[in-house]
Amino acid sequence: MKNMTHVAGGKDDFQLVTHLTLTGSQYEIGRDVAQEARRLGWAPTPIDPVVGRARRTWFERHWPQHHARMDGAASALGLDPEQDELVLDDLGYVPAGYGCSAMWIPPSAATDGHGRVGRNYDFFPTTTSEIMGGERRPDELPMASRPYLITTVPDEGLSSTVLTMSALDGCMDGVNSAGLAVMLLIADFESAAPPDAFAPQVGVNSVQLPRFLIDTCENVDQAKQALLTAKQYDHGMPLHYLVADAHGQAFVWEHGRDGSEHIVEFGDGPLCVTNHLLHRHPDPMNLPEDSASSFASYSRLRTLYERSKGVTMSAGDLRESLRAVAQPEEAAVPFRTLWSTIFDTADRTLSVRFYLGEGQRYSDELVFPAR
């Protein structure tokens, strides 16, 4: 069953936010998601049949929830689910790429004993054409102006609420009914390069990866194993991921420039993440100075660390820390903080405020349970 409502913004605001609630089997959920993606302009793309079969086999073995949803997508499109020539997932409707700041406050550092993760989602407030160096087309919307909140309640398995800008089968932020929260951030602004191609490969792409963890893992230990055994790929924009659970554990997952895999942990203390590789700069008190290409990543992390070290923090304190590193409304700054999210891993909730326009206009705080 599908239920869709608009929960923030309107036709005169920068963002119009849709909340999509999906229930039933994973097959039925996949059918409904594909129907919505088609309405937004998505269509299946051709793929080398050898790669297509290998992708389906990988999902069947390692991410069966996604495999079942792909079968549902085939039903929505009137296709044979066993066909290998078309991609039945990768349900993107705008390009991806973003900066951000995030911070994990463990239960031991929280005033009420609830572990929380907060994040600012920073992105261009312009259209795809403008970002690509062209002119805005008539009636073209900014590429991040139509985000989706998706609450999924399957007949079996973990329910979840996720927030996405660019793909209905992926997410930028998510929390599941076990209290596992996952969010993605740009990992290395200074070395990021435009992609050569967007062709799907075997495994999970960078935006699907949080959804993969949300579907298949209940805690940090399971998430570490899933990441170490998963096949992953990106499109030239390397990301890292903050993962936290209801038991007070958290880590950051990232790939080095040589392809090495890293699990970064800070023990029983706050964990701050912005847009540089933590395994290369593990000491928050010994960071480089920012350059024109680092997008103030080091100074934002220093600010978050200074505000969190040695203190206990409430949800309000975490929100104030996010405001302290939010993007200013200045012509020289190409980004805006388009939403600000707090996950309560004890309550299994996602709380979020959405950017509605210049003058620092934001929506009221909206709270969504993972069910």
Side-chain angles (χ1 to χ4, degrees):
M1 183 177 69
K2 177 172 71 174
N3 181 58
M4 187 165 64
T5 57
H6 295 308
V7 293
K11 65 182 181 64
D12 297 324
D13 296 313
F14 176 79
Q15 289 187 310
L16 177 62
V17 185
T18 300
H19 182 214
L20 188 62
T21 301
L22 303 166
T23 61
S25 67
Q26 295 287 4
Y27 177 93
E28 293 167 329
I29 290 169
R31 180 195 61 207
D32 291 341
V33 171
Q35 289 171 343
E36 181 63 10
R38 289 185 76 189
R39 189 183 71 82
L40 295 169
W42 170 83
T45 55
I47 192 172
D48 180 333
V50 174
V51 177
R53 177 167 292 276
R55 291 184 83 242
R56 290 194 302 105
T57 299
W58 192 92
F59 289 137
E60 185 174 21
R61 292 174 180 172
H62 301 284
W63 193 5
Q65 299 91 338
H66 188 71
H67 185 269
R69 292 195 293 263
M70 287 174 64
D71 286 352
S75 172
L77 297 167
L79 297 172
D80 179 357
E82 297 297 317
Q83 63 82 37
D84 300 322
E85 293 79 20
L86 294 173
V87 176
L88 298 178
D89 63 331
D90 213 23
L91 309 179
Y93 59 101
V94 290
Y98 15 73
C100 300
S101 303
M103 181 164 59
W104 158 249
I105 303 299
S108 60
T111 55
D112 59 0
H114 285 213
R116 291 185 177 87
V117 192
R119 79 99 108 248
N120 288 336
Y121 185 83
D122 301 333
F123 194 77
F124 301 99
T126 50
T127 65
T128 303
S129 296
E130 291 169 303
I131 290 172
M132 297 301 180
E135 296 293 326
R136 182 173 184 161
R137 301 192 307 271
D139 301 321
E140 184 180 9
L141 293 171
M143 60 194 296
S145 64
R146 296 296 183 266
Y148 272 67
L149 284 149
I150 304 176
T151 298
T152 305
V153 186
D155 293 340
E156 298 181 359
L158 296 163
S159 59
S160 62
T161 292
V162 304
L163 178 51
T164 184
M165 181 199 83
S166 59
L168 294 187
D169 62 344
C171 71
M172 285 72 201
D173 307 80
V175 63
N176 68 21
S177 52
L180 187 79
V182 187
M183 57 193 61
L184 59 78
L185 304 90
I186 285 287
D188 191 0
F189 253 120
E190 294 176 291
S191 68
D196 294 326
F198 288 98
Q201 301 173 32
V202 179
V204 291
N205 68 34
S206 52
V207 176
Q208 289 176 331
L209 190 145
R211 179 87 231 193
F212 166 64
L213 296 180
I214 291 293
D215 278 348
T216 62
C217 302
E218 298 185 5
N219 55 54
V220 153
D221 289 339
Q222 291 179 6
K224 290 176 183 176
Q225 290 299 307
L227 289 166
L228 288 167
T229 56
K231 189 172 171 57
Q232 305 160 48
Y233 63 97
D234 62 52
H235 294 301
M237 188 64 74
L239 306 180
H240 53 184
Y241 304 83
L242 176 55
V243 184
D245 67 19
H247 306 287
Q249 303 300 308
F251 70 97
V252 172
W253 171 259
E254 58 190 25
H255 284 98
R257 294 173 183 172
D258 59 354
S260 56
E261 298 173 323
H262 299 269
I263 293 172
V264 182
E265 298 174 288
F266 274 61
D268 188 23
L271 178 55
C272 307
V273 192
T274 51
N275 305 121
H276 57 269
L277 292 167
L278 292 186
H279 76 270
R280 290 175 63 89
H281 302 288
D283 184 357
M285 298 304 292
N286 188 29
L287 295 173
E289 292 301 315
D290 280 298
S291 67
S293 60
S294 66
F295 185 42
S297 181
Y298 303 116
S299 62
R300 284 184 283 120
L301 191 140
R302 278 191 291 265
T303 297
L304 292 175
Y305 179 74
E306 290 289 347
R307 294 178 71 98
S308 63
K309 68 176 183 179
V311 300
T312 55
M313 299 183 73
S314 66
D317 296 330
L318 179 54
R319 180 66 76 192
E320 285 300 316
S321 293
L322 294 176
R323 289 193 183 102
V325 294
Q327 295 304 312
E329 290 186 340
E330 298 175 359
V333 178
F335 296 94
R336 295 292 182 266
T337 297
L338 298 188
W339 64 70
S340 182
T341 311
I342 291 181
F343 297 94
D344 187 320
T345 60
D347 286 346
R348 280 73 161 164
T349 56
L350 178 160
S351 304
V352 60
R353 298 167 65 244
F354 289 98
Y355 178 75
L356 300 182
E358 296 294 306
Q360 295 290 352
R361 293 192 300 114
Y362 281 85
S363 71
D364 293 335
E365 186 117 0
L366 307 171
V367 182
F368 300 88
R371 300 295 177 94

